[in-house]
Amino acid sequence: MPAVARALIDLDALRHNFALARGCAPESRIMAVIKADGYGHGLLPVAHALATAEAFALARPEEALQLRAAGLRQRLVLLGTLLDRELLRECAREDVDVVVHDDHSAAQVTQFEAEAGVGLNLWLKVDTGMHRLGLSPQQLRPLHARLATLPWVRSIGHMSHLACAEWEDPAPTLRQLRCMEAARGDLQAPLSLANSAGLIAHPQSHGDWVRPGIMLYGDNPVADRFPLDLRPVMHLSAPVLAVRDLPAGAAVGYGETWRCQRPTRLATIGIGYGDGYPRHAPNGTPVSLGGRRAALAGRVSMDSITVDVTDCPGVVVGMEAELWGARVPVAEVAALAGTISYALLTGVTRRVPRVYRGGTPGADGSAGIRRD
Ligand SMILES: *Cc1c(COP(=O)(O)O)cnc(C)c1O
């Protein structure tokens, strides 16, 4: 019986979800998005388990370098990063693709002087409507033409990011696709547009490379309209620390925000916001105990939560509760807490050990992963 909160990471589920992504976009190559420590699941185990991805996308240079240091040979793409001379040298040396998204990053690439034999693989990111990062559509063609003449530029792809791909209304996505098409004109370059929602809901967005993130970890952002058999990868659990019986009228937790409406059996569970359980999860948020759903009662503390288990017979100290995973979808907890699954998964803190299951190496001979 584990004595602390832990996150069991089911790498077979991850591989299953990856296969579904492949099935949804069979004509495209997959750039698996494993930024933010593999959405909180562990960078290296996730990368090893997804050894058949054609590329990995990352948000921070140290993540890309860590993958290279671990011997990963896949193509790596550094999404949005402030490029400087030193970083470009490092990326060139380690064969990490970089994204040019504005005049500053274009200038850095232009001023880059190749060391003998090392070049840069570039992705030109166009702002087709999200207005976060990206070149203006008018900049794409002239900049592409200019960068293509630089001897140290080895390849150029085009990318953009979809702002509303999970909406039922396809209009904003179609507008973005048309904008990209117009920006490219007859210019030929590998194209990448689709996040998970685009991949699942908008086949027109697939292009040459799809960039699934959240769906690999088991959450479907368009589940209501496009059900898929995605499996949860992270199973967050914690032990029951104490069980007590309280009379009707007793208040529970900081600020007395919950009061027993009846004689109540209350379980205290060893997980809190210090572990990444959302501080704003309201009373009634489901917690699974012994295969049944119990309800959060009272405020979330740093190291523990309290749960009404009156209707869950057999709850004893040491028993394991599931906060999210197979029985309580992480998206459900997120919705109740006013956030999204991405934030909960990436927010699981360092003190929660990740324990790995499955992920048998593929036929490509990629290294298996170490287990705790
Ligand atoms: C995070 C990210 C993705 C993945 O998005 P999901 O919604 O998790 O599939 C794709 N592209 C870019 C540029 C991103 O930043």
Side-chain angles (χ1 to χ4, degrees), residues 237-258:
S237 65
V240 173
L241 302 179
V243 180
R244 69 191 64 240
D245 290 305
L246 297 171
V252 174
Y254 285 117
E256 301 193 341
T257 63
W258 192 83

mmCIF file of all heavy atoms in Angstrom, residues 237-258:
data_model
loop_
_atom_site.group_PDB
_atom_site.id
_atom_site.type_symbol
_atom_site.label_atom_id
_atom_site.label_comp_id
_atom_site.label_asym_id
_atom_site.label_seq_id
_atom_site.Cartn_x
_atom_site.Cartn_y
_atom_site.Cartn_z
ATOM 1 N N SER A 237 -3.350 9.032 -7.208
ATOM 2 C CA SER A 237 -3.968 8.406 -6.043
ATOM 3 C C SER A 237 -3.266 8.859 -4.769
ATOM 4 O O SER A 237 -2.152 9.400 -4.803
ATOM 5 C CB SER A 237 -3.908 6.884 -6.159
ATOM 6 O OG SER A 237 -2.551 6.464 -6.119
ATOM 7 N N ALA A 238 -3.940 8.633 -3.648
ATOM 8 C CA ALA A 238 -3.370 8.990 -2.343
ATOM 9 C C ALA A 238 -4.038 8.131 -1.283
ATOM 10 O O ALA A 238 -5.166 7.671 -1.474
ATOM 11 C CB ALA A 238 -3.596 10.468 -2.053
ATOM 12 N N PRO A 239 -3.343 7.904 -0.178
ATOM 13 C CA PRO A 239 -3.904 7.027 0.854
ATOM 14 C C PRO A 239 -4.872 7.747 1.791
ATOM 15 O O PRO A 239 -4.764 8.950 2.011
ATOM 16 C CB PRO A 239 -2.655 6.601 1.639
ATOM 17 C CG PRO A 239 -1.718 7.750 1.495
ATOM 18 C CD PRO A 239 -1.978 8.342 0.144
ATOM 19 N N VAL A 240 -5.803 6.963 2.321
ATOM 20 C CA VAL A 240 -6.666 7.460 3.392
ATOM 21 C C VAL A 240 -5.809 7.557 4.653
ATOM 22 O O VAL A 240 -5.190 6.578 5.072
ATOM 23 C CB VAL A 240 -7.859 6.504 3.621
ATOM 24 C CG1 VAL A 240 -8.654 6.929 4.850
ATOM 25 C CG2 VAL A 240 -8.744 6.466 2.381
ATOM 26 N N LEU A 241 -5.750 8.763 5.235
ATOM 27 C CA LEU A 241 -4.934 8.978 6.437
ATOM 28 C C LEU A 241 -5.723 8.749 7.711
ATOM 29 O O LEU A 241 -5.166 8.376 8.743
ATOM 30 C CB LEU A 241 -4.407 10.428 6.462
ATOM 31 C CG LEU A 241 -3.560 10.908 5.295
ATOM 32 C CD1 LEU A 241 -3.171 12.371 5.505
ATOM 33 C CD2 LEU A 241 -2.317 10.045 5.134
ATOM 34 N N ALA A 242 -7.015 8.998 7.666
ATOM 35 C CA ALA A 242 -7.844 8.878 8.876
ATOM 36 C C ALA A 242 -9.297 8.752 8.460
ATOM 37 O O ALA A 242 -9.689 9.220 7.380
ATOM 38 C CB ALA A 242 -7.673 10.119 9.760
ATOM 39 N N VAL A 243 -10.067 8.093 9.303
ATOM 40 C CA VAL A 243 -11.514 7.996 9.100
ATOM 41 C C VAL A 243 -12.166 8.389 10.414
ATOM 42 O O VAL A 243 -11.730 7.944 11.477
ATOM 43 C CB VAL A 243 -11.937 6.548 8.726
ATOM 44 C CG1 VAL A 243 -13.451 6.462 8.520
ATOM 45 C CG2 VAL A 243 -11.209 6.083 7.466
ATOM 46 N N ARG A 244 -13.177 9.255 10.375
ATOM 47 C CA ARG A 244 -13.835 9.665 11.616
ATOM 48 C C ARG A 244 -15.333 9.790 11.381
ATOM 49 O O ARG A 244 -15.777 10.036 10.258
ATOM 50 C CB ARG A 244 -13.248 10.974 12.140
ATOM 51 C CG ARG A 244 -13.587 12.176 11.258
ATOM 52 C CD ARG A 244 -12.786 13.404 11.645
ATOM 53 N NE ARG A 244 -11.366 13.183 11.424
ATOM 54 C CZ ARG A 244 -10.428 13.245 12.368
ATOM 55 N NH1 ARG A 244 -10.735 13.555 13.610
ATOM 56 N NH2 ARG A 244 -9.164 13.012 12.078
ATOM 57 N N ASP A 245 -16.094 9.627 12.477
ATOM 58 C CA ASP A 245 -17.551 9.779 12.402
ATOM 59 C C ASP A 245 -17.933 11.075 13.080
ATOM 60 O O ASP A 245 -17.525 11.331 14.217
ATOM 61 C CB ASP A 245 -18.235 8.581 13.072
ATOM 62 C CG ASP A 245 -18.044 7.323 12.242
ATOM 63 O OD1 ASP A 245 -18.399 7.352 11.048
ATOM 64 O OD2 ASP A 245 -17.500 6.330 12.755
ATOM 65 N N LEU A 246 -18.704 11.883 12.390
ATOM 66 C CA LEU A 246 -19.076 13.201 12.890
ATOM 67 C C LEU A 246 -20.593 13.310 12.985
ATOM 68 O O LEU A 246 -21.310 12.727 12.155
ATOM 69 C CB LEU A 246 -18.550 14.289 11.952
ATOM 70 C CG LEU A 246 -17.022 14.384 11.812
ATOM 71 C CD1 LEU A 246 -16.659 15.349 10.698
ATOM 72 C CD2 LEU A 246 -16.407 14.826 13.130
ATOM 73 N N PRO A 247 -21.070 14.050 13.949
ATOM 74 C CA PRO A 247 -22.528 14.244 14.070
ATOM 75 C C PRO A 247 -23.032 15.269 13.070
ATOM 76 O O PRO A 247 -22.262 16.102 12.580
ATOM 77 C CB PRO A 247 -22.678 14.772 15.504
ATOM 78 C CG PRO A 247 -21.391 15.494 15.774
ATOM 79 C CD PRO A 247 -20.322 14.748 15.018
ATOM 80 N N ALA A 248 -24.320 15.230 12.799
ATOM 81 C CA ALA A 248 -24.942 16.263 11.950
ATOM 82 C C ALA A 248 -24.633 17.624 12.553
ATOM 83 O O ALA A 248 -24.624 17.794 13.769
ATOM 84 C CB ALA A 248 -26.448 16.032 11.880
ATOM 85 N N GLY A 249 -24.320 18.565 11.692
ATOM 86 C CA GLY A 249 -24.051 19.920 12.159
ATOM 87 C C GLY A 249 -22.577 20.230 12.322
ATOM 88 O O GLY A 249 -22.209 21.407 12.411
ATOM 89 N N ALA A 250 -21.702 19.209 12.341
ATOM 90 C CA ALA A 250 -20.270 19.472 12.504
ATOM 91 C C ALA A 250 -19.718 20.116 11.233
ATOM 92 O O ALA A 250 -20.079 19.742 10.124
ATOM 93 C CB ALA A 250 -19.534 18.173 12.807
ATOM 94 N N ALA A 251 -18.827 21.083 11.414
ATOM 95 C CA ALA A 251 -18.220 21.759 10.266
ATOM 96 C C ALA A 251 -16.868 21.122 9.972
ATOM 97 O O ALA A 251 -16.205 20.607 10.866
ATOM 98 C CB ALA A 251 -18.047 23.241 10.553
ATOM 99 N N VAL A 252 -16.485 21.171 8.704
ATOM 100 C CA VAL A 252 -15.250 20.503 8.274
ATOM 101 C C VAL A 252 -14.340 21.490 7.543
ATOM 102 O O VAL A 252 -14.778 22.207 6.647
ATOM 103 C CB VAL A 252 -15.577 19.313 7.328
ATOM 104 C CG1 VAL A 252 -14.302 18.697 6.764
ATOM 105 C CG2 VAL A 252 -16.398 18.261 8.065
ATOM 106 N N GLY A 253 -13.088 21.513 7.953
ATOM 107 C CA GLY A 253 -12.053 22.211 7.179
ATOM 108 C C GLY A 253 -11.963 23.705 7.438
ATOM 109 O O GLY A 253 -12.744 24.287 8.199
ATOM 110 N N TYR A 254 -10.975 24.315 6.784
ATOM 111 C CA TYR A 254 -10.748 25.755 6.898
ATOM 112 C C TYR A 254 -12.007 26.529 6.542
ATOM 113 O O TYR A 254 -12.666 26.226 5.544
ATOM 114 C CB TYR A 254 -9.644 26.200 5.939
ATOM 115 C CG TYR A 254 -8.251 25.839 6.371
ATOM 116 C CD1 TYR A 254 -7.480 24.987 5.598
ATOM 117 C CD2 TYR A 254 -7.707 26.372 7.530
ATOM 118 C CE1 TYR A 254 -6.182 24.656 5.968
ATOM 119 C CE2 TYR A 254 -6.407 26.049 7.916
ATOM 120 C CZ TYR A 254 -5.654 25.194 7.131
ATOM 121 O OH TYR A 254 -4.393 24.878 7.495
ATOM 122 N N GLY A 255 -12.335 27.487 7.385
ATOM 123 C CA GLY A 255 -13.426 28.399 7.070
ATOM 124 C C GLY A 255 -14.808 27.793 7.222
ATOM 125 O O GLY A 255 -15.799 28.438 6.882
ATOM 126 N N GLU A 256 -14.863 26.541 7.710
ATOM 127 C CA GLU A 256 -16.165 25.878 7.928
ATOM 128 C C GLU A 256 -17.059 25.984 6.693
ATOM 129 O O GLU A 256 -18.238 26.320 6.779
ATOM 130 C CB GLU A 256 -16.875 26.493 9.149
ATOM 131 C CG GLU A 256 -16.076 26.367 10.428
ATOM 132 C CD GLU A 256 -16.896 26.681 11.681
ATOM 133 O OE1 GLU A 256 -17.948 27.331 11.550
ATOM 134 O OE2 GLU A 256 -16.469 26.251 12.766
ATOM 135 N N THR A 257 -16.497 25.697 5.524
ATOM 136 C CA THR A 257 -17.290 25.852 4.291
ATOM 137 C C THR A 257 -18.193 24.655 4.024
ATOM 138 O O THR A 257 -18.978 24.674 3.085
ATOM 139 C CB THR A 257 -16.383 26.037 3.060
ATOM 140 O OG1 THR A 257 -15.594 24.853 2.905
ATOM 141 C CG2 THR A 257 -15.473 27.232 3.213
ATOM 142 N N TRP A 258 -18.054 23.622 4.829
ATOM 143 C CA TRP A 258 -18.913 22.440 4.647
ATOM 144 C C TRP A 258 -19.368 21.967 6.018
ATOM 145 O O TRP A 258 -18.577 21.956 6.962
ATOM 146 C CB TRP A 258 -18.150 21.325 3.935
ATOM 147 C CG TRP A 258 -19.021 20.200 3.454
ATOM 148 C CD1 TRP A 258 -19.742 20.151 2.300
ATOM 149 C CD2 TRP A 258 -19.268 18.951 4.128
ATOM 150 N NE1 TRP A 258 -20.421 18.966 2.206
ATOM 151 C CE2 TRP A 258 -20.152 18.199 3.307
ATOM 152 C CE3 TRP A 258 -18.845 18.385 5.333
ATOM 153 C CZ2 TRP A 258 -20.606 16.928 3.659
ATOM 154 C CZ3 TRP A 258 -19.297 17.124 5.688
ATOM 155 C CH2 TRP A 258 -20.173 16.396 4.847
#
